[in-house]
Amino acid sequence: MSFVKFWERSRKIVAIGRNFAEHAKELGNEVPTNPFFFLKPTSSYLRPNGTILIPPKCDVHHEVELAVVISQKTKMVKSQDAMKYVAGYAVALDMTARNLQAEAKSKGLPWSAAKGYDTFTPIGDFIPKEKIPDSELKNLELWLKIDGQYKQKGSTSQMIFDIPRLIEHVSSIMTLEEGDVILTGTPSGVGPVLPGQTVECGITGITSATFKVGDYSSISSKL
């Protein structure tokens, strides 16, 4: 089974929150003692060289993440068996309308609007599991540049909960299906993006992806 176009069969995006301690602290949040997550619609996927659209009156921030692509349907998997259900990886961005998120948090409401706009999950090409040995998963460098300047750079060694633990936790609550994606959290350094900028992100020595930034005036009303 090929996962080269995993985004076409993906049924959900499971985004892990606050999985890097320094990122949690930079936003004034407590560091979690257990994983927690939110869902993003698959309609938010954006392929490389596409345009991230900034909605009106939104302060949109970048968050670079390692994406895990699920290989087959699973439920209630234990962490020691979790890697059997990984098809591969990708670099991804969890774009966030920070002002909408802050408003929702202050009212105890879900973050769906802040995270779910079209183009809010830019994602790179599929990386087969075999290209990144399990032993190297804790030493991957994630990075992000805006107009050629580094804004984020961090290691997966800083993750609070590793990939097997995340798969165990999510699958204890909902069934994971072939092509589903887990976004594993972002390192510190998140910040705003603006129309006209160019965003590059990657995993050092493995992959990279580039995206433009525009606004809703750049698309047809028919969309």
Side-chain angles (χ1 to χ4, degrees):
M1 185 70 68
S2 173
F3 287 87
V4 172
K5 294 185 177 181
F6 64 89
W7 58 89
E8 293 184 351
R9 69 176 68 174
S10 179
R11 300 182 69 177
K12 56 184 171 291
I13 303 167
V14 182
I16 306 299
R18 304 172 194 167
N19 198 27
F20 287 70
E22 291 305 312
H23 170 59
K25 292 175 183 177
E26 73 179 342
L27 296 183
N29 296 314
E30 293 183 2
V31 177
T33 55
N34 288 295
F36 84 93
F37 63 88
F38 51 92
L39 299 178
K40 301 187 68 169
T42 56
S43 55
S44 67
Y45 279 134
L46 178 69
R47 299 293 297 131
N49 301 311
T51 300
I52 300 166
L53 298 175
I54 307 299
K57 299 181 180 179
C58 285
D59 175 24
V60 177
H61 284 205
H62 57 77
E63 299 184 7
V64 64
E65 311 208 6
L66 173 66
V68 176
V69 181
I70 298 300
S71 63
Q72 57 185 302
K73 188 173 182 178
T74 185
K75 172 74 173 173
M76 301 293 289
V77 66
K78 297 299 183 183
S79 60
Q80 60 266 30
D81 298 319
M83 296 306 293
K84 298 176 184 177
Y85 299 92
V86 174
Y89 310 95
V91 66
L93 301 178
D94 174 20
M95 305 305 296
T96 304
R98 194 69 72 198
N99 57 322
L100 298 187
Q101 184 188 38
E103 181 181 358
K105 286 167 61 178
S106 70
K107 297 177 180 179
L109 298 175
W111 302 354
S112 300
K115 298 281 191 174
Y117 280 97
D118 290 356
T119 77
F120 267 29
T121 310
I123 196 158
D125 292 336
F126 179 68
I127 305 165
K129 181 182 178 183
E130 295 73 24
K131 190 170 180 179
I132 305 177
D134 293 354
S135 60
E136 296 181 12
L137 284 174
K138 293 184 178 181
N139 292 291
L140 301 177
E141 183 180 66
L142 303 172
W143 57 267
L144 179 141
K145 297 178 184 178
I146 295 180
D147 292 340
Q149 295 188 345
Y150 281 106
K151 298 296 183 179
Q152 285 186 273
K153 186 180 284 189
S155 172
T156 52
S157 65
Q158 300 166 330
M159 284 184 177
I160 300 169
F161 308 106
D162 63 13
I163 291 170
R165 176 73 177 91
L166 296 177
I167 294 173
E168 177 182 59
H169 178 72
V170 175
S171 71
S172 73
I173 296 168
M174 62 183 64
T175 299
L176 289 169
E177 299 169 285
E178 180 183 287
D180 285 353
V181 163
I182 299 176
L183 302 180
T184 57
T186 191
S188 61
V190 302
V193 296
L194 300 171
Q197 293 181 325
T198 297
V199 179
E200 301 170 80
C201 58
I203 304 170
T204 300
I206 297 173
T207 192
S208 64
T210 300
F211 303 91
K212 302 172 185 177
V213 185
D215 58 35
Y216 272 67
S217 67
S218 63
I219 62 172
S220 168
S221 60
K222 293 180 181 180
L223 296 178

